[in-house]
């Protein structure tokens, strides 16, 4: 125990000593219950150990003890900034096992919630990336925009952070009256703000200097280690769950997979900026094409809801990559097993051993923010 | 290529394993520990290059563990669920053993460590199965079905015992 709580001197000679350096769980550059323990010489990292496990798979165990519908209130908590992919992946898996298809309007509403959630997550992610380089004004400006989106979420779902909007069988409520008009106004505003962020962040020479060459991966390495989402597309690899394994309303929408060449932190930032713009376009398309009709299928009394025995894997493209839910049912009132595939696990637990050694302490936070390492989905 | 065509192809390589196509783009392969390395390596060479995760299901009433590999093919857009069934030998000294998949997908390391500490599965050939999430864990692996969360909470935190917490 003692070697985890004290700063340990590893070695020493006449000129310098090597120490254990704790990066997290309590650190301004760490956004979550997670940490790296680094051996450092001067400010250069020589070895890194992962200090994970503050949530110790409690979510997965807890899900086995809840009813199928009860889990909806637990699942979004796996990812704070981007909760909706969790709900949709779980609901898709349940519906697939149950053998039902949900109404088309419900699919569109799901896609709408997913894309809104993606925007909030990108704003948080880009803001955090700026803050890690000392550009706090970027973060403050972006969090304002995120808050406007959260207002919309509150109007649509009744909740700001954890929406619990998707249920097996559809979504909880339809669009409120007047929502579309207000939301379109907000989208125009957000699109207008992109110019400001370009000058503050994406075209800022400081940012280019700090991000260039940090955490470079090739497409082959990225596939080998299991990177997905924007991190994979920033290496030039064409893959998007929305296109490859479509769910919700994505089969009806018209979009291309965007990629960026480079594979370093700068390429990932540019990729996120492109995808943010694409998301605005997708939301407009969703609202334009949304048909009328029901928003859910009634599946009977939630307290007596049973899913036929079987197992399936459902994946969703989140803002960080592939969120997957492997759901097993034995025909009972509760899930037999739910296993979550978090998108940041490959980067956070595996890639760190390749990238962090040789890096300076001040770049750890940038490296984490650029790969969107979200600790809760490593631990869950 | 559709998932049923892929299922036939996998079945032709491994006549003893049970291969089935299901849903619209999924594939289920059930095999045993002896065949697992060959099956996994073949799956990768058939295009399943993306390992989504490795997990385990504890079928306590059938006395077996299903170590499950979720793999995806970017090329064919097919998902495969490879289940390796092992006997649930938790009380004997040997423990349930499955060959490692490290040589096929190097990123399996993190998942194998996790499944080892959460279920007690031994991945033969993996050099580092040290704890990843649990710290100073003395009890049985916690994601197993015979792990009693309530009893553990009472022991570890000393609350909610007989009559305790009601009178006050």
């Amino acid at each position: 125990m003692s070697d985890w709580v004290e700063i340990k001197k590893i070695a020493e000679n006449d000129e310098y000593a090597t120490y254990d350096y704790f990066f997290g769980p309590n650190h301004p550059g760490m956004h979550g219950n997670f940490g790296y323990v680094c051996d450092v010489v001067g400010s250069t990292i020589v070895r890194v150990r992962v200090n994970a496990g503050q949530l110790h798979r409690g979510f997965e165990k807890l899900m086995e003890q809840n009813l199928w519908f009860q889990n909806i209130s637990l699942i979004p908590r796996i990812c704070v900034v981007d909760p909706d992919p969790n709900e949709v992946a779980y609901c898709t898996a349940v519906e697939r096992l149950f053998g039902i298809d949900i109404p088309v309007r419900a699919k569109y509403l799901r896609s709408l919630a997913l894309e809104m959630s993606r925007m909030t997550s990108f704003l948080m992610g880009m803001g955090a990336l700026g803050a890690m380089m000392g550009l706090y004004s970027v973060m403050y400006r972006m969090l304002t925009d995120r808050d406007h989106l959260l207002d919309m979420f509150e109007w649509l779902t009744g909740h700001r952070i954890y929406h619990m909007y998707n249920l097996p069988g559809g979504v909880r409520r339809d669009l409120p009256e007047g929502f579309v008009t207000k939301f379109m106004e907000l989208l125009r505003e957000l699109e207008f703000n992109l110019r400001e962020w370009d000058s503050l962040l994406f075209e800022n020479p400081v940012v280019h200097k700090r991000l260039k060459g940090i955490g470079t991966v090739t497409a082959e390495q990225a596939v080998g280690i299991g990177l997905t989402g924007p991190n994979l597309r920033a290496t030039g690899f064409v893959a998007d769950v929305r296109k490859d394994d479509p769910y919700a309303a994505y089969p009806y929408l018209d979009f291309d997979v965007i990629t960026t060449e480079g594979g370093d932190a700068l390429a990932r930032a540019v990729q996120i900026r492109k995808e943010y713009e694409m998301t605005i376009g997708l939301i407009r398309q969703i609202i334009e094409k949304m048909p009328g009709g029901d928003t859910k299928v009634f599946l009977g009394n939630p307290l007596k809801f049973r899913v036929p025995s079987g197992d399936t894997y459902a994946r969703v493209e989140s803002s960080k990559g592939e969120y997957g839910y492997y759901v097993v049912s034995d025909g009972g009132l509760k899930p037999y097993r739910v296993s979550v595939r978090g998108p940041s696990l490959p980067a956070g637990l595996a890639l760190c051993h390749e990238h962090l050694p040789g890096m300076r302490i001040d770049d750890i936070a940038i490296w984490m923010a650029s790969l969107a390492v979200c600790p809760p989905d490593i631990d869950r | 290529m559709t998932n049923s065509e892929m299922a036939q192809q996998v079945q032709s390589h491994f006549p003893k394993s049970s291969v089935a196509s299901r849903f619209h783009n999924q594939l289920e392969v059930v095999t045993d520990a002896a065949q697992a390395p060959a099956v996994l390596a073949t799956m990768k060479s058939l295009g399943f290059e993306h390992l989504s995760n490795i997990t385990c299901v504890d079928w306590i009433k059938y006395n077996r563990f299903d170590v499950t590999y979720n793999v995806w093919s970017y090329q064919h857009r097919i998902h495969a669920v490879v289940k390796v069934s092992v006997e649930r030998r938790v009380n004997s000294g040997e423990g349930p053993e499955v060959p490692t998949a490290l040589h096929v997908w190097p990123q399996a390391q993190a998942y194998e460590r996790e499944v080892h500490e959460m279920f007690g599965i031994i991945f033969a050939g993996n050099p580092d199965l040290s704890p990843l999430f649990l710290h100073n864990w003395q009890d049985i692996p916690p994601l197993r079905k015979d792990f009693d969360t309530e009893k553990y909470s009472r022991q570890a935190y000393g609350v909610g015992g007989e009559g305790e917490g009601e009178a006050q």
Side-chain angles (χ1 to χ4, degrees):
Chain A
M1 186 76 188
S2 65
D3 59 337
W4 288 93
V5 293
E6 288 166 10
I7 291 191
K8 200 170 82 180
K9 190 185 281 183
I10 295 165
E12 148 176 66
N13 62 22
D14 293 342
E15 287 168 28
Y16 57 81
T18 313
Y19 284 97
D20 255 1
Y21 172 75
F22 278 66
F23 190 87
N26 285 318
H27 189 284
M30 177 64 74
H31 17 246
N33 31 33
F34 179 71
Y36 289 117
V37 187
C38 312
D39 293 356
V40 292
V41 175
S43 65
T44 307
I45 301 159
V46 284
R47 198 168 73 100
V48 64
R49 277 171 290 146
V50 174
N51 183 8
Q54 338 261 333
L55 299 175
H56 48 71
R57 288 294 178 278
F59 280 90
E60 291 186 1
K61 189 77 181 174
L62 206 51
M63 280 190 231
E64 295 171 9
Q65 301 169 3
N66 280 347
L67 298 174
W68 287 96
F69 271 84
Q70 273 181 312
N71 277 333
I72 291 295
S73 60
L74 182 65
I75 278 168
R77 285 167 169 80
I78 291 179
C79 188
V80 186
V81 288
D82 197 6
D84 291 74
N86 294 278
E87 299 172 11
V88 174
Y90 175 77
C91 293
T92 310
V94 172
E95 285 153 10
R96 203 177 281 163
L97 286 175
F98 204 74
I100 50 158
D101 202 19
I102 63 167
V104 181
R105 188 174 175 83
K107 291 183 183 173
Y108 272 90
L109 287 168
R110 267 188 191 174
S111 286
L112 177 68
L114 281 170
E115 293 304 319
M116 284 167 71
S117 175
R118 190 188 315 278
M119 283 182 85
T120 58
S121 172
F122 279 163
L123 286 168
M124 188 85 156
M126 289 192 288
L129 184 64
M132 295 309 138
M133 289 177 279
L135 305 168
Y136 280 93
S137 47
V138 181
M139 190 180 78
Y140 297 142
R141 284 289 295 113
M142 286 185 178
L143 287 191
T144 317
D145 280 357
R146 179 170 180 265
D147 248 52
H148 289 148
L149 275 166
L150 295 186
D151 288 343
M152 286 291 152
F153 260 127
E154 193 176 355
W155 198 5
L156 177 65
T157 70
H159 302 277
R160 291 176 75 81
I161 305 292
Y162 304 119
H163 314 122
M164 295 165 252
Y165 184 54
N166 303 281
L167 296 175
V171 294
R172 219 152 31 77
R173 51 208 286 209
D174 208 339
L175 289 180
E177 218 180 299
F179 180 85
V180 172
T181 326
K182 265 268 189 273
F183 192 42
M184 284 308 188
E185 271 173 41
L186 176 65
L187 278 186
R188 272 196 295 279
E189 198 183 305
L190 294 181
E191 206 170 30
F192 180 79
N193 285 352
L194 258 173
R195 278 186 257 165
E196 189 182 336
W197 301 336
D198 279 344
S199 52
L200 275 174
L201 189 71
F202 298 107
E203 288 165 9
N204 189 331
V206 175
V207 173
H208 281 244
K209 202 173 171 196
R210 287 298 300 275
L211 294 188
K212 195 130 192 76
I214 296 270
T216 311
V217 276
T218 62
E220 201 183 334
Q221 281 172 328
V223 172
I225 207 129
L227 288 187
T228 46
N231 295 339
L232 179 58
R233 290 192 286 277
T235 64
F237 192 89
V238 184
D240 190 323
V241 181
R242 289 173 287 183
K243 263 276 193 256
D244 301 345
D245 190 3
Y247 53 94
Y250 294 107
Y252 314 123
L253 301 177
D254 179 30
F255 62 98
D256 294 318
V257 180
I258 309 173
T259 57
T260 310
E261 296 295 326
D264 61 350
L266 184 62
R268 289 193 281 272
V270 171
Q271 175 69 17
I272 298 273
R273 193 227 175 272
K274 286 184 191 168
E275 292 199 11
Y276 182 81
E277 212 171 356
M278 170 181 156
T279 297
I280 295 179
L282 271 178
I283 290 180
R284 289 217 172 99
Q285 219 183 110
I286 289 167
I287 287 180
E288 235 169 64
K289 290 188 177 170
M290 194 182 292
D294 289 334
T295 55
K296 54 176 161 291
V297 188
F298 186 59
L299 294 176
N301 184 350
L303 298 176
K304 291 180 182 163
F305 180 68
R306 284 170 193 274
V307 173
S309 57
D311 62 286
T312 192
Y313 183 88
R315 56 161 62 76
V316 164
E317 178 80 25
S318 83
S319 60
K320 304 168 201 318
E322 171 196 335
Y323 246 116
Y325 272 66
Y326 179 67
V327 178
V328 183
S329 171
D330 64 344
L333 285 167
K334 299 166 181 173
Y336 192 75
R337 170 103 171 92
V338 181
S339 167
V340 186
R341 193 259 180 206
S344 28
L345 193 140
L349 293 190
L351 203 59
C352 62
H353 296 292
E354 284 178 31
H355 278 177
L356 292 184
M359 214 180 256
R360 285 175 309 155
I361 294 172
D362 19 344
D363 288 337
I364 306 178
I366 295 179
W367 178 83
M368 281 188 73
S370 84
L371 280 163
V373 176
C374 177
D377 72 56
I378 296 176
D379 271 6
R380 55 194 186 265
Chain B
M1 191 187 278
T2 64
N3 55 345
S4 46
E5 285 164 8
M6 181 58 90
Q8 283 172 6
Q9 204 171 336
V10 177
Q11 185 78 73
S12 67
H13 285 288
F14 300 99
K16 280 186 197 160
S17 303
S18 132
V19 185
S21 56
R22 56 181 201 177
F23 306 111
H24 62 287
N25 65 348
Q26 288 194 10
L27 188 70
E28 186 192 29
V29 185
V30 183
T31 185
D32 56 16
Q35 275 204 316
V39 171
L40 294 173
T42 309
M43 292 302 281
K44 189 171 181 189
S45 57
L46 284 173
F48 292 89
E49 48 190 345
H50 172 59
L51 174 69
S52 282
N53 74 351
I54 301 176
T55 183
C56 181
V57 184
D58 179 8
W59 290 105
I60 191 163
K61 60 185 169 189
Y62 306 125
N63 195 34
R64 67 160 209 262
F65 284 117
D66 278 356
V67 180
T68 307
Y69 300 76
N70 284 301
V71 289
W72 169 257
S73 165
Y74 284 116
Q75 189 192 340
H76 304 297
R77 300 184 177 180
I78 298 173
H79 181 88
V81 179
V82 183
K83 296 177 184 169
V84 180
S85 293
V86 279
E87 200 191 328
R88 202 176 179 284
R89 283 182 307 200
V90 292
N91 295 322
S92 71
E94 299 156 45
E97 203 174 282
V98 173
T100 179
L102 271 185
H103 53 282
V104 190
W105 294 285
Q107 57 140 324
Q109 174 63 26
Y111 298 117
E112 289 189 353
R113 270 171 85 179
E114 176 194 331
V115 172
H116 173 71
E117 71 174 331
M118 294 294 167
F119 290 91
I121 309 278
I122 296 161
F123 288 91
N126 187 325
D128 177 20
L129 286 173
S130 56
L132 181 60
F133 295 108
L134 304 174
H135 189 61
N136 289 343
W137 186 255
Q138 308 289 341
D139 221 316
I140 63 167
L143 278 182
R144 258 165 34 187
K145 286 285 177 184
D146 49 356
F147 177 74
D148 188 343
T149 42
E150 193 185 341
K151 185 173 147 224
Y152 173 77
S153 307
R154 282 174 197 236
Q155 279 174 357
Y157 306 108
V159 288
E162 292 289 312
E164 218 181 292
E166 286 165 21
Q168 290 131 20

